[in-house]
PDB file of all heavy atoms in Angstrom:
ATOM      1  N   MET A 373      -1.067 -22.924 -36.100  1.00 36.00           N
ATOM      2  CA  MET A 373      -0.698 -23.508 -37.425  1.00 36.00           C
ATOM      3  C   MET A 373      -0.614 -22.463 -38.485  1.00 36.00           C
ATOM      4  O   MET A 373       0.204 -22.485 -39.323  1.00 36.00           O
ATOM      5  CB  MET A 373      -1.782 -24.574 -37.770  1.00 36.00           C
ATOM      6  CG  MET A 373      -1.511 -25.243 -38.993  1.00 36.00           C
ATOM      7  SD  MET A 373      -2.733 -26.474 -39.308  1.00 36.00           S
ATOM      8  CE  MET A 373      -4.209 -25.481 -39.189  1.00 36.00           C
ATOM      9  N   HIS A 377       2.760 -20.695 -41.497  1.00 42.00           N
ATOM     10  CA  HIS A 377       2.556 -20.442 -42.894  1.00 42.00           C
ATOM     11  C   HIS A 377       2.633 -18.954 -43.176  1.00 42.00           C
ATOM     12  O   HIS A 377       3.007 -18.581 -44.204  1.00 42.00           O
ATOM     13  CB  HIS A 377       1.307 -21.057 -43.330  1.00 42.00           C
ATOM     14  CG  HIS A 377       1.376 -22.536 -43.499  1.00 42.00           C
ATOM     15  ND1 HIS A 377       1.793 -23.112 -44.649  1.00 42.00           N
ATOM     16  CD2 HIS A 377       1.177 -23.521 -42.607  1.00 42.00           C
ATOM     17  CE1 HIS A 377       1.860 -24.403 -44.495  1.00 42.00           C
ATOM     18  NE2 HIS A 377       1.451 -24.645 -43.214  1.00 42.00           N
ATOM     19  N   HIS A 381       4.006 -16.787 -46.452  1.00 45.00           N
ATOM     20  CA  HIS A 381       3.161 -16.071 -47.421  1.00 45.00           C
ATOM     21  C   HIS A 381       2.946 -14.614 -46.999  1.00 45.00           C
ATOM     22  O   HIS A 381       2.474 -13.844 -47.762  1.00 45.00           O
ATOM     23  CB  HIS A 381       1.790 -16.790 -47.507  1.00 45.00           C
ATOM     24  CG  HIS A 381       1.969 -18.161 -48.078  1.00 45.00           C
ATOM     25  ND1 HIS A 381       1.853 -18.407 -49.432  1.00 45.00           N
ATOM     26  CD2 HIS A 381       2.214 -19.301 -47.428  1.00 45.00           C
ATOM     27  CE1 HIS A 381       1.990 -19.751 -49.573  1.00 45.00           C
ATOM     28  NE2 HIS A 381       2.242 -20.225 -48.467  1.00 45.00           N
ATOM     29  N   HIS A 391      -4.380 -14.105 -43.010  1.00 83.00           N
ATOM     30  CA  HIS A 391      -3.505 -14.657 -43.975  1.00 83.00           C
ATOM     31  C   HIS A 391      -4.147 -14.851 -45.403  1.00 83.00           C
ATOM     32  O   HIS A 391      -3.537 -14.781 -46.418  1.00 83.00           O
ATOM     33  CB  HIS A 391      -2.945 -15.985 -43.489  1.00 83.00           C
ATOM     34  CG  HIS A 391      -3.928 -17.132 -43.562  1.00 83.00           C
ATOM     35  ND1 HIS A 391      -4.249 -17.837 -44.703  1.00 83.00           N
ATOM     36  CD2 HIS A 391      -4.708 -17.588 -42.614  1.00 83.00           C
ATOM     37  CE1 HIS A 391      -5.113 -18.761 -44.368  1.00 83.00           C
ATOM     38  NE2 HIS A 391      -5.469 -18.605 -43.097  1.00 83.00           N
ATOM     39  N   HIS A 392      -5.447 -15.114 -45.339  1.00 85.00           N
ATOM     40  CA  HIS A 392      -6.075 -15.495 -46.669  1.00 85.00           C
ATOM     41  C   HIS A 392      -6.650 -14.354 -47.402  1.00 85.00           C
ATOM     42  O   HIS A 392      -7.210 -14.437 -48.462  1.00 85.00           O
ATOM     43  CB  HIS A 392      -7.209 -16.516 -46.403  1.00 85.00           C
ATOM     44  CG  HIS A 392      -8.225 -16.054 -45.453  1.00 85.00           C
ATOM     45  ND1 HIS A 392      -7.965 -15.881 -44.116  1.00 85.00           N
ATOM     46  CD2 HIS A 392      -9.528 -15.777 -45.603  1.00 85.00           C
ATOM     47  CE1 HIS A 392      -9.029 -15.441 -43.523  1.00 85.00           C
ATOM     48  NE2 HIS A 392      -9.982 -15.376 -44.373  1.00 85.00           N
ATOM     49  N   PHE A 393      -6.498 -13.070 -46.881  1.00 88.00           N
ATOM     50  CA  PHE A 393      -6.909 -11.921 -47.670  1.00 88.00           C
ATOM     51  C   PHE A 393      -5.705 -11.275 -48.283  1.00 88.00           C
ATOM     52  O   PHE A 393      -4.539 -11.320 -47.808  1.00 88.00           O
ATOM     53  CB  PHE A 393      -7.525 -10.888 -46.674  1.00 88.00           C
ATOM     54  CG  PHE A 393      -8.911 -11.317 -46.171  1.00 88.00           C
ATOM     55  CD1 PHE A 393      -9.088 -11.583 -44.768  1.00 88.00           C
ATOM     56  CD2 PHE A 393      -9.948 -11.523 -47.026  1.00 88.00           C
ATOM     57  CE1 PHE A 393     -10.340 -11.986 -44.327  1.00 88.00           C
ATOM     58  CE2 PHE A 393     -11.209 -11.870 -46.547  1.00 88.00           C
ATOM     59  CZ  PHE A 393     -11.396 -12.123 -45.221  1.00 88.00           C
ATOM     60  N   GLN A 398      -9.981  -5.693 -48.945  1.00 91.00           N
ATOM     61  CA  GLN A 398     -10.734  -6.985 -49.115  1.00 91.00           C
ATOM     62  C   GLN A 398     -11.222  -7.529 -47.805  1.00 91.00           C
ATOM     63  O   GLN A 398     -12.332  -7.980 -47.643  1.00 91.00           O
ATOM     64  CB  GLN A 398      -9.839  -8.037 -49.789  1.00 91.00           C
ATOM     65  CG  GLN A 398     -10.599  -9.247 -50.295  1.00 91.00           C
ATOM     66  CD  GLN A 398      -9.655 -10.348 -50.818  1.00 91.00           C
ATOM     67  OE1 GLN A 398      -8.501 -10.479 -50.410  1.00 91.00           O
ATOM     68  NE2 GLN A 398     -10.153 -11.095 -51.739  1.00 91.00           N
ATOM     69  N   ALA A 402     -15.147  -7.971 -46.916  1.00 95.00           N
ATOM     70  CA  ALA A 402     -15.731  -9.325 -46.535  1.00 95.00           C
ATOM     71  C   ALA A 402     -16.431  -9.223 -45.207  1.00 95.00           C
ATOM     72  O   ALA A 402     -17.566  -9.703 -45.054  1.00 95.00           O
ATOM     73  CB  ALA A 402     -14.558 -10.295 -46.442  1.00 95.00           C
ATOM     74  N   THR A 413     -30.216 -12.105 -41.399  1.00 96.00           N
ATOM     75  CA  THR A 413     -30.775 -13.309 -40.702  1.00 96.00           C
ATOM     76  C   THR A 413     -31.416 -12.883 -39.440  1.00 96.00           C
ATOM     77  O   THR A 413     -32.447 -13.507 -38.976  1.00 96.00           O
ATOM     78  CB  THR A 413     -29.682 -14.350 -40.416  1.00 96.00           C
ATOM     79  OG1 THR A 413     -28.809 -13.814 -39.501  1.00 96.00           O
ATOM     80  CG2 THR A 413     -28.889 -14.708 -41.624  1.00 96.00           C
ATOM     81  N   LEU A 416     -34.838 -11.721 -40.085  1.00 95.00           N
ATOM     82  CA  LEU A 416     -35.751 -12.837 -40.370  1.00 95.00           C
ATOM     83  C   LEU A 416     -36.008 -13.636 -39.071  1.00 95.00           C
ATOM     84  O   LEU A 416     -37.095 -14.216 -38.971  1.00 95.00           O
ATOM     85  CB  LEU A 416     -35.141 -13.772 -41.459  1.00 95.00           C
ATOM     86  CG  LEU A 416     -35.378 -13.157 -42.786  1.00 95.00           C
ATOM     87  CD1 LEU A 416     -34.328 -13.565 -43.816  1.00 95.00           C
ATOM     88  CD2 LEU A 416     -36.680 -13.569 -43.357  1.00 95.00           C
ATOM     89  N   GLY A 420     -40.460 -14.019 -37.475  1.00 91.00           N
ATOM     90  CA  GLY A 420     -41.458 -14.989 -37.001  1.00 91.00           C
ATOM     91  C   GLY A 420     -42.304 -14.455 -35.985  1.00 91.00           C
ATOM     92  O   GLY A 420     -43.524 -14.591 -35.969  1.00 91.00           O
ATOM     93  N   TYR A 428     -52.085 -12.604 -34.589  1.00 91.00           N
ATOM     94  CA  TYR A 428     -53.006 -12.647 -33.403  1.00 91.00           C
ATOM     95  C   TYR A 428     -53.585 -11.290 -33.077  1.00 91.00           C
ATOM     96  O   TYR A 428     -54.695 -11.232 -32.586  1.00 91.00           O
ATOM     97  CB  TYR A 428     -52.249 -13.275 -32.191  1.00 91.00           C
ATOM     98  CG  TYR A 428     -51.846 -14.707 -32.462  1.00 91.00           C
ATOM     99  CD1 TYR A 428     -50.492 -15.147 -32.390  1.00 91.00           C
ATOM    100  CD2 TYR A 428     -52.868 -15.642 -32.778  1.00 91.00           C
ATOM    101  CE1 TYR A 428     -50.201 -16.413 -32.659  1.00 91.00           C
ATOM    102  CE2 TYR A 428     -52.501 -16.954 -33.013  1.00 91.00           C
ATOM    103  CZ  TYR A 428     -51.203 -17.331 -33.000  1.00 91.00           C
ATOM    104  OH  TYR A 428     -50.890 -18.667 -33.220  1.00 91.00           O
ATOM    105  N   ARG A 431     -56.548 -11.014 -35.314  1.00 88.00           N
ATOM    106  CA  ARG A 431     -57.618 -11.853 -34.960  1.00 88.00           C
ATOM    107  C   ARG A 431     -58.317 -11.395 -33.678  1.00 88.00           C
ATOM    108  O   ARG A 431     -59.557 -11.478 -33.550  1.00 88.00           O
ATOM    109  CB  ARG A 431     -57.130 -13.253 -34.654  1.00 88.00           C
ATOM    110  CG  ARG A 431     -56.869 -14.026 -35.861  1.00 88.00           C
ATOM    111  CD  ARG A 431     -56.541 -15.458 -35.566  1.00 88.00           C
ATOM    112  NE  ARG A 431     -56.014 -16.152 -36.797  1.00 88.00           N
ATOM    113  CZ  ARG A 431     -55.628 -17.345 -36.741  1.00 88.00           C
ATOM    114  NH1 ARG A 431     -55.674 -18.036 -35.654  1.00 88.00           N
ATOM    115  NH2 ARG A 431     -55.175 -17.966 -37.910  1.00 88.00           N
ATOM    116  N   ALA A 510     -49.385 -17.157 -21.606  1.00 81.00           N
ATOM    117  CA  ALA A 510     -50.714 -17.611 -21.650  1.00 81.00           C
ATOM    118  C   ALA A 510     -51.151 -18.713 -20.632  1.00 81.00           C
ATOM    119  O   ALA A 510     -52.151 -18.631 -19.958  1.00 81.00           O
ATOM    120  CB  ALA A 510     -51.019 -18.085 -23.016  1.00 81.00           C
ATOM    121  N   HIS A 511     -50.284 -19.716 -20.486  1.00 80.00           N
ATOM    122  CA  HIS A 511     -50.671 -20.820 -19.529  1.00 80.00           C
ATOM    123  C   HIS A 511     -50.779 -20.370 -18.133  1.00 80.00           C
ATOM    124  O   HIS A 511     -51.499 -21.033 -17.361  1.00 80.00           O
ATOM    125  CB  HIS A 511     -49.616 -21.942 -19.677  1.00 80.00           C
ATOM    126  CG  HIS A 511     -49.854 -22.864 -20.868  1.00 80.00           C
ATOM    127  ND1 HIS A 511     -50.411 -24.117 -20.782  1.00 80.00           N
ATOM    128  CD2 HIS A 511     -49.575 -22.656 -22.175  1.00 80.00           C
ATOM    129  CE1 HIS A 511     -50.500 -24.605 -21.934  1.00 80.00           C
ATOM    130  NE2 HIS A 511     -50.100 -23.722 -22.796  1.00 80.00           N
ATOM    131  N   PHE A 512     -50.023 -19.416 -17.776  1.00 80.00           N
ATOM    132  CA  PHE A 512     -49.942 -18.982 -16.368  1.00 80.00           C
ATOM    133  C   PHE A 512     -50.646 -17.603 -16.061  1.00 80.00           C
ATOM    134  O   PHE A 512     -50.594 -17.089 -15.037  1.00 80.00           O
ATOM    135  CB  PHE A 512     -48.560 -18.962 -15.865  1.00 80.00           C
ATOM    136  CG  PHE A 512     -47.786 -20.235 -16.147  1.00 80.00           C
ATOM    137  CD1 PHE A 512     -46.823 -20.276 -17.124  1.00 80.00           C
ATOM    138  CD2 PHE A 512     -48.148 -21.334 -15.327  1.00 80.00           C
ATOM    139  CE1 PHE A 512     -46.204 -21.523 -17.300  1.00 80.00           C
ATOM    140  CE2 PHE A 512     -47.422 -22.558 -15.529  1.00 80.00           C
ATOM    141  CZ  PHE A 512     -46.520 -22.548 -16.562  1.00 80.00           C
ATOM    142  N   SER A 667     -47.541 -13.519 -23.811  1.00 92.00           N
ATOM    143  CA  SER A 667     -46.561 -14.468 -24.351  1.00 92.00           C
ATOM    144  C   SER A 667     -45.794 -13.794 -25.445  1.00 92.00           C
ATOM    145  O   SER A 667     -44.473 -13.866 -25.451  1.00 92.00           O
ATOM    146  CB  SER A 667     -47.322 -15.580 -25.082  1.00 92.00           C
ATOM    147  OG  SER A 667     -48.123 -16.324 -24.133  1.00 92.00           O
TER     148      SER A 667
ATOM    149  N   THR B1462       0.595 -30.648 -41.018  1.00 85.00           N
ATOM    150  CA  THR B1462       0.729 -30.606 -39.589  1.00 85.00           C
ATOM    151  C   THR B1462       0.163 -31.911 -39.071  1.00 85.00           C
ATOM    152  O   THR B1462      -0.699 -32.501 -39.744  1.00 85.00           O
ATOM    153  CB  THR B1462       0.056 -29.439 -38.893  1.00 85.00           C
ATOM    154  OG1 THR B1462      -1.270 -29.373 -39.387  1.00 85.00           O
ATOM    155  CG2 THR B1462       0.748 -28.159 -39.158  1.00 85.00           C
ATOM    156  N   VAL B1554     -12.020 -19.852 -47.072  1.00 94.00           N
ATOM    157  CA  VAL B1554     -13.250 -19.153 -47.078  1.00 94.00           C
ATOM    158  C   VAL B1554     -12.952 -17.812 -46.383  1.00 94.00           C
ATOM    159  O   VAL B1554     -11.986 -17.600 -45.734  1.00 94.00           O
ATOM    160  CB  VAL B1554     -14.272 -19.898 -46.279  1.00 94.00           C
ATOM    161  CG1 VAL B1554     -14.701 -21.133 -47.110  1.00 94.00           C
ATOM    162  CG2 VAL B1554     -13.877 -20.251 -44.935  1.00 94.00           C
ATOM    163  N   ALA B1555     -14.014 -16.890 -46.495  1.00 95.00           N
ATOM    164  CA  ALA B1555     -13.768 -15.527 -45.930  1.00 95.00           C
ATOM    165  C   ALA B1555     -13.524 -15.545 -44.396  1.00 95.00           C
ATOM    166  O   ALA B1555     -12.779 -14.753 -43.837  1.00 95.00           O
ATOM    167  CB  ALA B1555     -14.897 -14.616 -46.261  1.00 95.00           C
ATOM    168  N   PHE B1556     -14.276 -16.375 -43.733  1.00 95.00           N
ATOM    169  CA  PHE B1556     -14.218 -16.404 -42.222  1.00 95.00           C
ATOM    170  C   PHE B1556     -13.841 -17.802 -41.690  1.00 95.00           C
ATOM    171  O   PHE B1556     -14.761 -18.628 -41.362  1.00 95.00           O
ATOM    172  CB  PHE B1556     -15.515 -15.918 -41.635  1.00 95.00           C
ATOM    173  CG  PHE B1556     -16.020 -14.659 -42.200  1.00 95.00           C
ATOM    174  CD1 PHE B1556     -17.236 -14.627 -42.864  1.00 95.00           C
ATOM    175  CD2 PHE B1556     -15.284 -13.486 -42.035  1.00 95.00           C
ATOM    176  CE1 PHE B1556     -17.642 -13.401 -43.390  1.00 95.00           C
ATOM    177  CE2 PHE B1556     -15.758 -12.325 -42.514  1.00 95.00           C
ATOM    178  CZ  PHE B1556     -16.987 -12.249 -43.223  1.00 95.00           C
ATOM    179  N   THR B1628     -16.509 -11.776 -52.357  1.00 94.00           N
ATOM    180  CA  THR B1628     -15.340 -10.893 -52.154  1.00 94.00           C
ATOM    181  C   THR B1628     -14.024 -11.563 -52.452  1.00 94.00           C
ATOM    182  O   THR B1628     -12.933 -10.884 -52.426  1.00 94.00           O
ATOM    183  CB  THR B1628     -15.287 -10.336 -50.721  1.00 94.00           C
ATOM    184  OG1 THR B1628     -15.174 -11.435 -49.821  1.00 94.00           O
ATOM    185  CG2 THR B1628     -16.549  -9.553 -50.376  1.00 94.00           C
ATOM    186  N   VAL B1654     -29.394 -18.636 -45.563  1.00 95.00           N
ATOM    187  CA  VAL B1654     -29.316 -17.412 -44.785  1.00 95.00           C
ATOM    188  C   VAL B1654     -30.749 -16.860 -44.569  1.00 95.00           C
ATOM    189  O   VAL B1654     -31.082 -16.273 -43.512  1.00 95.00           O
ATOM    190  CB  VAL B1654     -28.408 -16.387 -45.491  1.00 95.00           C
ATOM    191  CG1 VAL B1654     -28.630 -15.032 -45.028  1.00 95.00           C
ATOM    192  CG2 VAL B1654     -27.000 -16.845 -45.279  1.00 95.00           C
ATOM    193  N   LEU B1655     -31.591 -16.945 -45.543  1.00 94.00           N
ATOM    194  CA  LEU B1655     -32.922 -16.311 -45.464  1.00 94.00           C
ATOM    195  C   LEU B1655     -33.910 -17.199 -44.799  1.00 94.00           C
ATOM    196  O   LEU B1655     -34.793 -16.687 -44.147  1.00 94.00           O
ATOM    197  CB  LEU B1655     -33.419 -15.935 -46.871  1.00 94.00           C
ATOM    198  CG  LEU B1655     -32.638 -14.854 -47.583  1.00 94.00           C
ATOM    199  CD1 LEU B1655     -33.319 -14.544 -48.925  1.00 94.00           C
ATOM    200  CD2 LEU B1655     -32.558 -13.640 -46.746  1.00 94.00           C
ATOM    201  N   PRO B1658     -33.202 -18.831 -40.268  1.00 95.00           N
ATOM    202  CA  PRO B1658     -33.553 -18.128 -38.954  1.00 95.00           C
ATOM    203  C   PRO B1658     -35.048 -18.262 -38.652  1.00 95.00           C
ATOM    204  O   PRO B1658     -35.389 -18.286 -37.524  1.00 95.00           O
ATOM    205  CB  PRO B1658     -33.249 -16.600 -39.346  1.00 95.00           C
ATOM    206  CG  PRO B1658     -32.604 -16.565 -40.600  1.00 95.00           C
ATOM    207  CD  PRO B1658     -32.591 -17.868 -41.221  1.00 95.00           C
ATOM    208  N   ILE B1673     -42.384 -22.556 -20.907  1.00 87.00           N
ATOM    209  CA  ILE B1673     -43.089 -21.554 -20.085  1.00 87.00           C
ATOM    210  C   ILE B1673     -44.530 -21.431 -20.600  1.00 87.00           C
ATOM    211  O   ILE B1673     -45.185 -20.448 -20.145  1.00 87.00           O
ATOM    212  CB  ILE B1673     -42.411 -20.226 -20.138  1.00 87.00           C
ATOM    213  CG1 ILE B1673     -42.196 -19.719 -21.576  1.00 87.00           C
ATOM    214  CG2 ILE B1673     -41.037 -20.285 -19.431  1.00 87.00           C
ATOM    215  CD1 ILE B1673     -41.758 -18.330 -21.647  1.00 87.00           C
ATOM    216  N   GLY B1674     -45.037 -22.339 -21.461  1.00 85.00           N
ATOM    217  CA  GLY B1674     -46.443 -22.257 -21.809  1.00 85.00           C
ATOM    218  C   GLY B1674     -46.945 -20.987 -22.435  1.00 85.00           C
ATOM    219  O   GLY B1674     -47.794 -20.263 -21.956  1.00 85.00           O
ATOM    220  N   ILE B1675     -46.374 -20.632 -23.583  1.00 88.00           N
ATOM    221  CA  ILE B1675     -46.739 -19.290 -24.141  1.00 88.00           C
ATOM    222  C   ILE B1675     -48.005 -19.435 -24.938  1.00 88.00           C
ATOM    223  O   ILE B1675     -48.623 -18.420 -25.272  1.00 88.00           O
ATOM    224  CB  ILE B1675     -45.666 -18.755 -25.149  1.00 88.00           C
ATOM    225  CG1 ILE B1675     -45.297 -19.719 -26.207  1.00 88.00           C
ATOM    226  CG2 ILE B1675     -44.436 -18.402 -24.328  1.00 88.00           C
ATOM    227  CD1 ILE B1675     -44.320 -19.181 -27.223  1.00 88.00           C
ATOM    228  N   ILE B1677     -48.927 -19.946 -27.973  1.00 89.00           N
ATOM    229  CA  ILE B1677     -49.077 -19.403 -29.234  1.00 89.00           C
ATOM    230  C   ILE B1677     -49.644 -20.412 -30.196  1.00 89.00           C
ATOM    231  O   ILE B1677     -50.355 -20.137 -31.161  1.00 89.00           O
ATOM    232  CB  ILE B1677     -47.679 -18.865 -29.754  1.00 89.00           C
ATOM    233  CG1 ILE B1677     -47.500 -17.473 -29.132  1.00 89.00           C
ATOM    234  CG2 ILE B1677     -47.607 -18.709 -31.267  1.00 89.00           C
ATOM    235  CD1 ILE B1677     -46.219 -16.834 -29.507  1.00 89.00           C
ATOM    236  N   ASP B1685     -52.892 -20.835 -32.415  1.00 89.00           N
ATOM    237  CA  ASP B1685     -53.323 -21.584 -33.569  1.00 89.00           C
ATOM    238  C   ASP B1685     -52.300 -22.559 -34.011  1.00 89.00           C
ATOM    239  O   ASP B1685     -51.117 -22.171 -34.386  1.00 89.00           O
ATOM    240  CB  ASP B1685     -53.533 -20.593 -34.729  1.00 89.00           C
ATOM    241  CG  ASP B1685     -54.103 -21.165 -35.986  1.00 89.00           C
ATOM    242  OD1 ASP B1685     -54.207 -22.454 -36.029  1.00 89.00           O
ATOM    243  OD2 ASP B1685     -54.469 -20.429 -36.880  1.00 89.00           O
ATOM    244  N   THR B1688     -50.464 -22.185 -37.405  1.00 92.00           N
ATOM    245  CA  THR B1688     -49.388 -21.226 -37.489  1.00 92.00           C
ATOM    246  C   THR B1688     -48.064 -21.944 -37.443  1.00 92.00           C
ATOM    247  O   THR B1688     -47.131 -21.573 -38.190  1.00 92.00           O
ATOM    248  CB  THR B1688     -49.415 -20.254 -36.302  1.00 92.00           C
ATOM    249  OG1 THR B1688     -50.782 -19.817 -36.224  1.00 92.00           O
ATOM    250  CG2 THR B1688     -48.531 -19.067 -36.510  1.00 92.00           C
ATOM    251  N   PHE B1692     -45.008 -21.557 -40.256  1.00 93.00           N
ATOM    252  CA  PHE B1692     -43.618 -21.140 -39.941  1.00 93.00           C
ATOM    253  C   PHE B1692     -42.658 -22.250 -40.267  1.00 93.00           C
ATOM    254  O   PHE B1692     -41.607 -22.017 -40.818  1.00 93.00           O
ATOM    255  CB  PHE B1692     -43.539 -20.895 -38.368  1.00 93.00           C
ATOM    256  CG  PHE B1692     -44.079 -19.595 -37.933  1.00 93.00           C
ATOM    257  CD1 PHE B1692     -44.844 -18.818 -38.789  1.00 93.00           C
ATOM    258  CD2 PHE B1692     -43.833 -19.096 -36.604  1.00 93.00           C
ATOM    259  CE1 PHE B1692     -45.313 -17.595 -38.330  1.00 93.00           C
ATOM    260  CE2 PHE B1692     -44.257 -17.928 -36.175  1.00 93.00           C
ATOM    261  CZ  PHE B1692     -45.053 -17.144 -37.082  1.00 93.00           C
ATOM    262  N   TYR B1960      -2.248 -23.917 -48.828  1.00 83.00           N
ATOM    263  CA  TYR B1960      -2.799 -22.691 -49.314  1.00 83.00           C
ATOM    264  C   TYR B1960      -3.555 -22.840 -50.665  1.00 83.00           C
ATOM    265  O   TYR B1960      -3.870 -21.763 -51.318  1.00 83.00           O
ATOM    266  CB  TYR B1960      -1.693 -21.577 -49.478  1.00 83.00           C
ATOM    267  CG  TYR B1960      -1.492 -20.910 -48.200  1.00 83.00           C
ATOM    268  CD1 TYR B1960      -0.563 -21.264 -47.256  1.00 83.00           C
ATOM    269  CD2 TYR B1960      -2.332 -19.815 -47.901  1.00 83.00           C
ATOM    270  CE1 TYR B1960      -0.417 -20.597 -46.126  1.00 83.00           C
ATOM    271  CE2 TYR B1960      -2.240 -19.105 -46.711  1.00 83.00           C
ATOM    272  CZ  TYR B1960      -1.193 -19.504 -45.821  1.00 83.00           C
ATOM    273  OH  TYR B1960      -1.077 -18.867 -44.650  1.00 83.00           O
TER     274      TYR B1960
END
Side-chain angles (χ1 to χ4, degrees):
Chain A
M373 180 177 56
H377 284 272
H381 296 269
H391 71 84
H392 55 292
F393 290 116
Q398 190 187 30
T413 69
L416 280 152
Y428 294 123
R431 285 188 188 177
H511 277 256
F512 305 106
S667 297
Chain B
T1462 48
V1554 292
F1556 308 118
T1628 62
V1654 162
L1655 293 183
I1673 59 169
I1675 57 172
I1677 281 184
D1685 187 351
T1688 312
F1692 282 11
Y1960 272 95

